[in-house]
Amino acid sequence: MYGVCGCCGALRPRYKRLVDNIFPEDPEDGLVKANMEKLTFYALSAPEKLDRIGAYLSERLSRDVARHRYGYVCIAMEALDQLLMACHCQSINLFVESFLKMVRKLLESDKPNLQILGTNSFVKFANIEEDTPSYHRSYDFFVSRFSEMCHSSYEDPDIRTKIRMAGIKGLQGVVRKTVNDELQANIWDPQHMDKIVPSLLFNLQSGEHSESRSPSPLQASEKEKESPVELTERCFRELLGRAAYGNIKNAVTPVLMHLDNHALWEGKTFAVCCFKIIMYSIQSQHSHLVIQQLLGHLDANSKNSAKVRAGIVEVLLEAAAIAASGSVGPTVLEVFNTLLRQLRLSVDYELTGSYDGSTNIGTKIIKAHEERQLQEAVIRTIGSFANTLPTYQRSEVMLFIMGKIPVPGIHLTLPSTGSEPEGTRMIQIMLLKSLVQVTAGFQTTNMLTALPSSFLEPLLSFSLTEDPEVRLLVLQILLSLIDRHENRPKFSNISIISDISVLKLKVDKCSRQDNLFMKKHGQQLYRHIYMGCKEPSSGREHYETLFALLGLLSVELANEEVVVDLIRLALALQDLALSTDEGLPVYNRCAVHALAAAYLNLICQLTTVPAFCQHIHEVIEVRQKESPYLLPEDVFIDIPRLPSSLEKMEGDVLFLQSKITEVLGGSGYNTERLGTPYVPQYTDEDRLSKRKSIGETISLQVEVESRNSPEKEERTPAEEITFETLKNAIVDSVGMEEQERERRRQVVVKFQKAPFEEIAAHCGARATLLQSKLNQIFEITIRPPPSPSGTISSGYGQSQSRSVPIYEMKFPDLCVY
């Protein structure tokens, strides 16, 4: 009987005998290396047998697993690994199928050691570049199983950590094997990403990992490689780094869902950590896709709690800071539109105390506090986004935000707020704060293009409101726009400086564009400075900001004409403080006196005219002795030292316009302009450029009619266009718009319901009328050149020029030689 078995054993196929020989009698001895070399040589010599070798090894491994002979299982996997590393022939696909079948068998086992063994073999296989493609191989099981291992809850913490790390390595292997092979199943499909990404985030969250350390993965030490958190981060970075343009959304969406499901937005720390890893790992040109997804998620959570929305906004803030310049993408205004919409909704929620418009008194206070934190976060995020934009795009954003600010009587207020004036005011303040952030650090060489009238005029209109907070924000915006050499901090405090060289001001020559800007908008700026000083509600911050604005105008945009106007403005402010008709409190009058003194002290040293400086310093010295409450050192302090009332002041404590005109006239300044007191034009503030265009249109029409009239000599002069005329035209324009709208409606109805013949006749008549008018115009404007042969009379009694050949023309004798 034993002889028969021996005979049958000798008849076994050679590949089976070679496979059997690699297994020792005692599995503790390990793989028989000499026999393994024979098996490898045979597989390389006869590659067509490779699939049978794999199938037989798989059969033996399954039998050993069932019999719990785990030593032989390890030997079989080691043999498979060596064959896989050595063979790269075309027949390897069938061998790989057997190999994956065995790995799957190990992963299905409930023994942690077998799961880790199977994972390690799979990782080795994943690092092999195959020469031939595989059209039918599926990795769905491995994605699911490795994801499950990442969430292992094994009792022993050390074994649990090993299983989780094996799962992470397995997912990393799946990604490496499939991400660059178009013939494989698409690993970026949501069905796979929804398993891979949450598994990685789960392990990333489980460790103490408060912040991403660096913008790129580091070469970790051996000790760090033992940490599941570090391994997870490297795997996550590798996954994101391989993501192409079309795959970013599928990779980021599971992150958003995981943060939602586990309420991780409120803590902010982990969410910020995740998106730092994402922003540093993906290709920089894809950054705007992540930002757009975050914005869309913010919109989707519009009615969620303020903490959740604030967490998303904080992540946006960090993402914008990491993103390179211009990474906001092609939809720049859409980014800001989303943020401004969230700001508006937050104000609405704060006022109503509810997300659905109903008032809930019990939670209103807490909700209002949270909403304010959200509003501040949104404003900071707007500024962070703006800092990544070039100058021209930032100008567009400034104009865009300005168009969103509600103007009383023009823009609609919040539809659902209980208190419309309060809602309008809050939105004005929030949007102006956003503009403060956007304009911070704004640099431009051409003020005219960076600050068009469509932006500057509405902005200046807000400086005339009664709300002191709004006026202060407008002044801060103006300071940011005008300051191009970082001189603003040097004017932060109002004081009398005997030598301004200690300020180390950066003064540059005024360019042609700056001259044009001041010529166009200078009077507007002067007027609003004057009106700002005239406001009784102005406080210390307002006057300090107005002084800084005057100082920046003198340093950044001043030519000789601007200097003259600014001196006239300062003297007009002194007259304003002297006047009792305005009803200003004592503090405001003293503050205006101190502001004018500080500014004249600054401008006289900038002009470097000795006599001018002498007069200013003499008046300041007299004030220091007799009226210190007219100087900034006694006014702009925590407890101002003010008199109970201001007596009528005259003489040496006042700056004299006649004296200043005299001393500056000797240095070549325009004495006529200097001697003319500055008087602001008290007109209705043009809040919309449309009003100006209406007035220009009316005056143009009157001028054209008077010029083209055939009875020009007999007609009376055109009526003078006054302010009342323009005002009446604006009022009447509302009725005209209604009439025009009704006329258009009738035309539409006519073309919809009238017969075709009637419409054709109407259009034909209009075409005939147009042609006759054109003929008249051509007869007037297009005439042939005069001919020496004179004119001939047409059949209608009109003289008509004729063209005569040159040889028939009769020239005078003096023209012929």
Side-chain angles (χ1 to χ4, degrees):
M1 184 172 180
Y2 288 103
V4 173
C5 291
C7 179
C8 292
L11 295 176
R12 288 166 61 82
R14 186 182 180 191
Y15 73 88
K16 285 189 177 183
R17 283 184 279 131
L18 290 173
V19 170
D20 290 337
N21 290 338
I22 66 174
F23 291 93
E25 292 184 4
D26 185 2
E28 296 293 333
D29 296 339
L31 184 70
V32 181
K33 294 184 178 179
N35 292 337
M36 185 65 214
E37 290 176 2
K38 294 179 182 179
L39 177 62
T40 304
F41 179 77
Y42 176 76
L44 290 173
S45 303
E48 68 277 2
K49 300 290 185 180
L50 192 59
D51 58 328
R52 298 185 183 182
I53 294 173
Y56 183 58
L57 272 171
S58 176
E59 180 185 338
R60 284 204 56 148
L61 184 138
S62 300
R63 186 168 63 246
D64 291 335
V65 169
R67 295 175 180 177
H68 304 288
R69 296 161 62 177
Y70 300 127
Y72 289 124
V73 171
C74 295
I75 293 173
M77 290 308 300
E78 185 179 352
L80 282 167
D81 292 342
Q82 291 191 24
L83 286 173
L84 203 59
M85 298 294 290
C87 302
H88 294 283
C89 60
Q90 292 183 354
S91 304
I92 198 172
N93 275 334
L94 296 176
F95 176 74
V96 167
E97 292 302 320
S98 300
F99 169 79
L100 292 178
K101 183 179 177 182
M102 286 183 277
V103 171
R104 179 169 182 166
K105 188 75 175 177
L106 294 179
L107 293 176
E108 288 175 341
S109 171
D110 57 353
K111 300 293 183 182
N113 291 337
L114 295 185
Q115 296 175 13
I116 295 171
L117 178 64
T119 303
N120 292 337
S121 292
F122 183 84
V123 171
K124 293 176 184 177
F125 162 69
N127 292 327
I128 297 173
E129 293 186 8
E130 299 182 53
D131 296 335
T132 55
S134 174
Y135 297 93
H136 57 280
R137 195 179 302 160
S138 173
Y139 295 97
D140 293 1
F141 166 80
F142 296 101
V143 171
S144 300
R145 183 57 184 154
F146 289 139
S147 299
E148 185 181 343
M149 290 170 65
C150 289
H151 292 85
S152 173
S153 56
Y154 201 83
E155 294 179 359
D156 189 333
D158 293 335
I159 296 178
R160 180 171 64 236
T161 299
K162 291 179 180 179
I163 294 175
R164 289 184 179 181
M165 290 183 67
I168 296 167
K169 292 177 181 177
L171 289 177
Q172 190 176 29
V174 172
V175 172
R176 288 178 179 175
K177 198 64 181 174
T178 59
V179 73
N180 293 324
D181 192 348
E182 296 181 357
L183 298 174
Q184 301 290 355
N186 191 357
I187 198 67
W188 300 106
D189 286 345
Q191 59 178 346
H192 299 310
M193 285 290 108
D194 289 346
K195 297 175 184 176
I196 295 174
V197 174
S199 301
L200 297 177
L201 295 179
F202 174 78
N203 285 275
L204 197 63
Q205 181 189 354
S206 62
E208 294 181 0
H209 193 72
S210 59
E211 186 177 357
S212 180
R213 303 179 315 283
S214 63
S216 60
L218 298 176
Q219 295 295 328
S221 65
E222 291 298 326
K223 185 177 179 181
E224 284 182 325
K225 288 182 180 179
E226 298 300 321
S227 167
V229 176
E230 300 299 329
L231 178 63
T232 302
E233 182 177 338
R234 288 197 296 275
C235 181
F236 195 30
R237 287 183 184 278
E238 182 178 343
L239 174 68
L240 295 166
R242 295 171 181 267
Y245 180 88
N247 302 325
I248 295 292
K249 183 177 180 181
N250 290 344
V252 175
T253 300
V255 179
L256 300 174
M257 298 303 296
H258 182 83
L259 297 174
D260 285 342
N261 296 335
H262 297 273
L264 296 173
W265 292 111
E266 297 182 14
K268 299 179 185 177
T269 306
F270 181 70
V272 170
C273 165
C274 287
F275 277 91
K276 276 188 174 183
I277 293 174
I278 292 172
M279 296 302 292
Y280 281 131
S281 301
I282 63 174
Q283 300 175 42
S284 59
Q285 65 268 27
H286 301 159
S287 297
H288 69 276
L289 296 175
V290 179
I291 290 172
Q292 286 178 1
Q293 275 195 269
L294 279 169
L295 289 168
H297 198 66
L298 182 60
D299 273 344
N301 285 272
S302 293
K303 292 192 176 183
N304 214 325
S305 69
K307 287 186 177 180
V308 171
R309 286 178 285 135
I312 300 174
V313 171
E314 286 289 342
V315 171
L316 271 168
L317 177 63
E318 295 292 339
I322 294 171
S325 176
S327 68
V328 176
T331 57
V332 176
L333 294 182
E334 186 58 33
V335 171
F336 290 91
N337 190 35
T338 301
L339 292 172
L340 293 177
R341 183 167 59 249
Q342 291 298 322
L343 200 59
R344 194 179 183 98
L345 283 172
S346 180
V347 172
D348 192 1
Y349 296 154
E350 181 181 349
L351 290 174
T352 60
S354 173
Y355 297 123
D356 55 3
S358 60
T359 304
N360 188 348
I361 299 176
T363 59
K364 185 173 182 181
I365 297 176
I366 299 175
K367 192 172 295 182
H369 173 68
E370 294 174 356
E371 293 295 343
R372 287 194 198 98
Q373 291 180 340
L374 169 64
Q375 291 157 17
E376 295 300 325
V378 172
I379 290 171
R380 290 197 307 272
T381 304
I382 288 174
S384 180
F385 272 110
N387 289 334
T388 67
L389 298 177
T391 301
Y392 74 94
Q393 281 189 328
R394 204 189 286 201
S395 298
E396 291 179 2
V397 171
M398 288 158 46
L399 201 58
F400 180 73
I401 296 176
M402 179 57 68
K404 295 284 185 180
I405 302 178
V407 179
I410 297 177
H411 293 280
L412 296 176
T413 54
L414 281 171
S416 58
T417 53
S419 175
E420 288 190 354
E422 179 64 17
T424 301
R425 176 186 173 277
M426 287 184 65
I427 291 176
Q428 285 178 345
I429 291 173
M430 291 301 164
L431 294 181
L432 286 172
K433 284 182 177 179
S434 302
L435 270 179
V436 170
Q437 291 287 332
V438 173
T439 55
F442 182 75
Q443 297 287 336
T444 179
T445 55
N446 192 337
M447 298 287 287
L448 273 175
T449 55
L451 301 177
S453 300
S454 54
F455 172 78
L456 199 58
E457 290 180 4
L459 178 67
L460 291 176
S461 71
F462 287 107
S463 68
L464 302 180
T465 60
E466 297 179 356
D467 192 328
E469 187 175 0
V470 171
R471 295 202 309 272
L472 185 61
L473 290 171
V474 171
L475 291 173
Q476 291 173 354
I477 293 168
L478 285 173
L479 290 182
S480 297
L481 295 173
I482 295 173
D483 182 22
R484 293 174 293 177
H485 296 89
E486 299 180 358
N487 289 316
R488 178 180 176 180
K490 299 163 186 176
F491 297 116
S492 56
N493 297 317
I494 307 181
S495 59
I496 302 297
I497 302 174
S498 57
D499 184 7
I500 62 170
S501 61
V502 299
L503 296 178
K504 297 181 181 179
L505 297 172
K506 298 177 183 177
V507 183
D508 202 0
K509 186 178 180 181
C510 194
S511 65
R512 179 174 174 273
Q513 290 86 354
D514 293 342
N515 291 334
L516 291 174
F517 176 79
M518 289 305 293
K519 200 166 187 178
K520 184 175 182 181
H521 298 294
Q523 294 302 321
Q524 285 178 291
L525 293 170
Y526 307 148
R527 175 171 177 259
H528 286 81
I529 292 172
Y530 183 90
M531 299 301 289
C533 292
K534 190 179 175 183
E535 287 290 340
S537 59
S538 293
R540 177 181 173 181
E541 284 186 300
H542 293 83
Y543 291 113
E544 288 177 345
T545 313
L546 286 166
F547 173 73
L549 180 57
L550 285 167
L552 287 177
L553 287 174
S554 307
V555 174
E556 299 280 352
L557 300 170
N559 53 26
E560 186 175 313
E561 183 179 345
V562 172
V563 169
V564 170
D565 286 338
L566 288 171
I567 294 172
R568 291 172 60 220
L569 175 60
L571 294 171
L573 292 178
Q574 177 180 258
D575 294 338
L576 171 66
L578 290 172
S579 174
T580 57
D581 300 336
E582 302 295 342
L584 286 175
V586 173
Y587 172 79
N588 294 73
R589 294 176 65 188
C590 292
V592 174
H593 272 298
L595 171 63
Y599 177 68
L600 286 172
N601 174 68
L602 172 69
I603 195 68
C604 74
Q605 296 183 60
L606 288 174
T607 55
T608 64
V609 178
F612 183 26
C613 294
Q614 182 181 355
H615 171 66
I616 300 300
H617 291 156
E618 286 175 355
V619 174
I620 290 174
E621 288 175 3
V622 173
R623 288 190 178 185
Q624 288 172 343
K625 296 176 182 178
E626 300 179 7
S627 309
Y629 50 82
L630 300 181
L631 294 175
E633 285 75 13
D634 275 32
V635 179
F636 301 113
I637 54 178
D638 294 336
I639 304 176
R641 295 186 284 269
L642 305 176
S644 57
S645 63
L646 282 180
E647 303 293 335
K648 185 176 182 181
M649 291 176 292
E650 56 185 14
D652 296 338
V653 297
L654 299 179
F655 303 101
L656 301 178
Q657 185 155 5
S658 57
K659 179 69 174 176
I660 293 174
T661 303
E662 178 185 345
V663 297
L664 288 179
S667 299
Y669 287 86
N670 188 340
T671 55
E672 181 180 354
R673 191 173 182 86
L674 270 169
T676 306
Y678 173 78
V679 179
Q681 300 176 353
Y682 291 95
T683 60
D684 289 345
E685 183 65 30
D686 290 330
R687 299 196 181 194
L688 293 177
S689 58
K690 182 177 73 171
R691 296 188 176 185
K692 182 177 179 182
S693 65
I694 290 175
E696 291 177 349
T697 305
I698 295 173
S699 62
L700 181 63
Q701 289 175 348
V702 172
E703 182 182 359
V704 170
E705 288 176 0
S706 62
R707 182 179 298 174
N708 293 340
S709 173
E711 301 174 358
K712 182 177 178 181
E713 294 80 2
E714 301 177 7
R715 291 181 60 179
T716 57
E719 180 183 359
E720 184 180 358
I721 303 300
T722 63
F723 170 72
E724 291 297 328
T725 309
L726 292 176
K727 186 176 180 181
N728 293 335
I730 293 170
V731 173
D732 294 342
S733 65
V734 178
M736 293 174 63
E737 288 178 1
E738 292 292 335
Q739 295 176 4
E740 179 66 18
R741 196 178 291 111
E742 178 63 22
R743 187 186 67 79
R744 290 184 178 181
R745 190 187 66 81
Q746 292 177 357
V747 170
V748 171
V749 171
K750 179 178 179 181
F751 274 83
Q752 287 177 342
K753 298 182 178 180
F756 175 76
E757 293 77 8
E758 182 180 344
I759 296 174
H762 176 71
C763 294
R766 291 183 61 183
T768 305
L769 177 63
L770 175 64
Q771 187 62 43
S772 63
K773 293 295 182 183
L774 287 174
N775 291 337
Q776 292 180 17
I777 293 171
F778 292 152
E779 287 178 3
I780 295 172
T781 56
I782 304 175
R783 298 177 183 274
S787 172
S789 60
T791 60
I792 60 173
S793 179
S794 65
Y796 298 99
Q798 300 175 346
S799 61
Q800 182 178 356
S801 300
R802 69 174 182 176
S803 180
V804 180
I806 191 168
Y807 57 84
E808 292 184 4
M809 292 182 184
K810 295 182 180 180
F811 295 95
D813 294 338
L814 294 176
C815 297
V816 180
Y817 62 93

